[in-house]
Amino acid sequence: MGLPDFIPKPPDTMTPPPVTLQSPLALPLNEVPSYMERLWDGEDVSRPEGASTFTLLVWQPAWLEQELGRTGGLRGPVTGIQRPELIEAARQAIQQLGLHHATAPFDPALVEALRREPGALQPDDLRGQLIDGRISELQPRRLISVNPLLDRTAPLESQVAAYCPMPEAGAVNTACGDVLVLRGGVPVIAAQLQRIDPLVTPGLPCWVWWNSAPEDSPEVFDRLALPPRRLIIDTSLGDARGGLTLLGQRIRSGQTIYDLNWYRLRSWRESLAMAFDPPSRRSALEQIERIDIDIQGHQFCQGLLLGAWIAAQLGWSLQHSRFDTEGAIHSQFRRPDGATPAMVVSPAPIGMPTPHSGTVVGLRLLTTAAEGPGLCVILCGEAAGCMRLEGGGATQRQLVEHVVPVLDGPLNAEVTRVLSGGHDSTNPLLRMAGCLAAEMLPAS
Amino acid sequence: MESAAKVMVSTLTNPLRVGLRQERVIPPQCLVIFGASGDLTHRKLVPALFELFVQRRLPSEFAVLGCARRPWSDEEFRQKIEPSLKAAIAAEPEGWQSFSKGLFYEPVDLRKPQDLARLGKRLEQIDRLRATRHNTTFYLSVSPSHYGAGCRALAAAGLLSDPERSRVVIEKPFGTDLASAQELNRLVKTYAQERQIFRIDHYLGKETVQNIMVLRFANTIFEPIWNRNYISSVQITAAETVGVEERAGYYEGSGALRDMVQNHLTQMLAITAMEPPGRFEPETIRNEKAKVLQASRLADIESPWSACVRGQYTRGGSSNRPVTGYREEPGVDPNSTTETYVALKLFIDNWRWQGVPFYLRTGKHLPKRLSEVVLTFRDAPVHLFDAVGGASMANQLVLRIQPDEGANLRFEVKAPGSGMRSRPIEMDFSYDESFGEPSDEGYVRLLADAMLGDPTLFTRNDEVEAAWRLYTPVLDVLEDAPWQLPVHPYEAGTWGPAASDTLLARDDLLWRRP
């Protein structure tokens, strides 16, 4: 399939869109480094200079999109961009394949089911060429998009393009970037990975956005996600154990890591903190006896990260954790005063699941009080009612209820937020919560 | 878990709030501070930057380049900075290690083109070293007389040529009267676009000033009564307990009107009185602020002396803590006629505020340090109930800007007992008590906004000019017939001269004594 011109999506803001300096050029991978060098390091002073920003290395398998394209469930090219048409096609496929109605569109079970379906359509592959405007606005110095194909034996193709922002009137500095698109079967790509290292611009930060399940293609992951590169992962994709193990390992090793699943929790963190902002309620934080967290489906990462954040902030230490017979995770902690509060993360039935598996849909926090009925704080996602959490007489306590907007917006918006002003260290809250969440996941 | 336990120190702060701020991300950049050897840099700017760093609101790809004429090295600059951050460094020693790696220094005299050329090269080096993406914010913490020349020098060196990636922050005062502000605006606009210029007024960095907008435009209960039909008068006060301290040299030429009223109090006036913006966007907000200032006028333009009272503190205080009079302060002319207190009566000629007096006052050596906006509502049309205190009191909404930031609403309720008599009570909201974390210092917010390129809380050229135009009648009298606006002496530690009370007494009103 031929590569169309490099067409960045127009950005949402007033920043001028980037324009290509050249048509995408197919080159053997071994010729790419010298070509890139010539592109920016020539002696012609009038030529634009390479932006001193960062390298973004994206593992972009888009397995769901590729499978839907192959089986005819999604029309149009494969883009690697999370878009409404993709989510809608995934929802339809879930119905047609007879998967449980609570299956989230990005649940790996859907990809597994699609793999068993017949189909040989080959949609155009625009991964790495349709750059989200919000990312191109940041002018990556180099964008390397590594795009595995369903055909594991497909040979490696590489193509390069350079782009510049439209110069402002009067502007003298034109900082530009380039894009390298690699495409091929996973084993073929894995065999060529050592050729990618020299393409990472020295002296500039390098971000590795692993846009797939953390346990996907470990031979590639280990090679691309080398420290001190900064990692962006999404623990909602794939298996909870794989995600949390990786998160815990990388945090402990000191590598900078961002988990998009953690960032989606921010409205929950804010809403819960808000419930305890009034000074009259703050002492109740020392008297929590039980926390219930409801999640969508059986992917526990987000629920455990939320629970771990609360426990870490309150200075609780984990005593033990186990699965119950209904698949919920029961954890017992010890508070600084010696009491032993419980935390239960339970899969809850959801009629219309959000795109990502394991999204938190409800939280209930119960406290005891020396006098009076104690406090019951209920937060519930707008996707789910509060009714289940209101049961069991909990609301006979002093009740605080909030509805929390479930954040499941465009993936690129989260990535842009990270890239636009990133840090070379992991967020301290995630550092604590990530390690504890990994410990809270009991052995199967 | 050890560090987690450390977080759980006290329920005085909300432990779930720790580290939770959802701030906008400041893009990688180099902040160049001209006047890096000065007091503001050490006392306000660098502490604010370190606070931003500790809060993880600065990206790793960030640098501060201090510039002044002194021939310091990078290391010397870091050492000079350290004492002003002593307490903060003690709390975050590792943070300081990391932050200080991004501190650099370059000797620059803005008047020397060769220095600017060297600065450009240094910025290139820092850009490569710190990957600051060619984004540069220039902070002119220099004498106001150098603003125009500073912009010219930066532009001549090509450092302002990219409006997307370069901006200039300018401290107050922006001019000394309308003509000088217009000239400065003209000069600055020659070298940079308006969107590159950030005129800082640190009052706008205060949470409570910003909260006036949220209070008004995020609630349905206030805006319908925020007009001449329900509000009878507005008082805006900024009181200081200190004198001129070490600023006598500057203050003698400026006085309270130029130092406080034209900028801080006028910005509070604009935010209190502006119309709701169509969208919460910088230009729509600044349009509304400019519009309301353009509609504002001194209560009596023909006789400014009847709408303005000037005062000057004299010796006072107690036998334990005597206070020197202004004319006895070091560096002050013994016959000085500079005002340390000023009170003004203004009107706003628009549909919302026609006929509502706005009283502004500010002064040094007043009994309390506070800034507040007080909206007094009209009397109830019929008094059905006897008041316990003899007469019912008008409803009053007090927006406390500092200290004890918050708001207070006074209204009448039934006094306990068998009769039906009314008495006033106060409903109070306090930032400190309601939120589990302290507010940022104004410079933290404003520096972050400048580096984000968000001009919402910065004053635009037309706002500055409208503010100067508003006080031009007073400044003209001071220039042409100063005897019409004498400085009334007031004892240090009192609420200003008696003439100031008379200004309100003519309208049957009193200043609030907080």
Side-chain angles (χ1 to χ4, degrees), chain A residues 52 230 279 282 316 423-424, chain B residues 1 12 58 60-61 127 433:
Chain A
S52 54
R230 305 170 188 181
R282 277 181 219 157
W316 296 0
H423 289 273
D424 56 3
Chain B
M1 290 305 296
L12 289 176
L58 289 182
S60 303
E61 290 74 37
D127 187 58
E433 286 184 15

Side-chain angles (χ1 to χ4, degrees), chain A residues 68-69 72-77 83 85 123:
Chain A
L68 285 168
L74 178 66
R75 291 185 178 188
R83 57 196 203 277
E85 298 87 341

Side-chain angles (χ1 to χ4, degrees), chain B residues 165-179:
Chain B
R165 300 194 179 279
S166 58
R167 55 189 77 98
V168 183
V169 183
I170 299 176
E171 272 284 337
K172 69 150 193 174
F174 201 81
T176 54
D177 54 20
L178 177 60

Side-chain angles (χ1 to χ4, degrees), chain B residues 13 31 52 97 99 108 169 187 194 210 218 271 308 316 345 390 394 511:
Chain B
T13 54
L31 177 70
L52 286 168
Q97 287 303 319
F99 176 75
V108 173
V169 183
L187 204 62
E194 176 60 27
Q210 296 156 34
I271 285 180
C308 174
K345 179 180 173 184
W511 285 109

Side-chain angles (χ1 to χ4, degrees), chain B residues 289-310:
Chain B
K289 279 166 60 193
K291 270 160 63 181
V292 80
L293 292 179
Q294 285 156 2
S296 304
R297 63 172 170 85
L298 205 62
D300 189 341
I301 297 172
E302 299 304 318
S303 316
W305 48 88
S306 64
C308 174
V309 172
R310 297 165 72 228

Side-chain angles (χ1 to χ4, degrees), chain A residues 49 52-54 139 168 170-172 204-205 230 266 269-270 272-274 276-279 282 285-286 309 312-317 417 419-429 432 436, chain B residues 1 3-5 7-8 11-20 22-28 56-61 127-128 131-134 161-165 195 432-436:
Chain A
E49 57 181 298
S52 54
T53 50
F54 57 89
Q139 292 185 8
E168 277 272 309
V172 289
L204 295 180
R230 305 170 188 181
R266 63 177 178 268
R269 292 192 292 269
E270 177 59 32
L272 188 60
M274 208 190 299
F276 289 95
D277 278 336
R282 277 181 219 157
L285 283 169
E286 294 172 349
W309 165 71
Q313 293 305 99
L314 297 178
W316 296 0
S317 53
R417 191 178 156 79
L419 294 177
S420 61
H423 289 273
D424 56 3
S425 62
T426 303
N427 178 298
L429 299 183
M432 288 193 289
L436 183 54
Chain B
M1 290 305 296
S3 49
V7 173
M8 179 62 189
T11 49
L12 289 176
T13 54
N14 178 356
L16 298 180
R17 272 262 161 252
V18 176
L20 207 58
Q22 294 174 30
E23 304 290 349
R24 293 166 294 170
V25 184
I26 295 170
R56 289 176 66 82
R57 287 158 67 187
L58 289 182
S60 303
E61 290 74 37
D127 187 58
R128 282 193 292 275
T132 52
R133 306 187 190 177
H134 286 299
S161 54
D162 187 344
E164 290 292 332
R165 300 194 179 279
R195 64 180 166 139
D432 279 353
E433 286 184 15
S434 300
F435 301 118

Side-chain angles (χ1 to χ4, degrees), chain A residues 142-157:
Chain A
R142 180 157 295 158
L143 174 64
I144 303 173
S145 183
V146 186
N147 308 324
L149 297 168
L150 295 176
D151 177 4
R152 292 174 62 82
T153 62
L156 192 68
E157 293 173 28

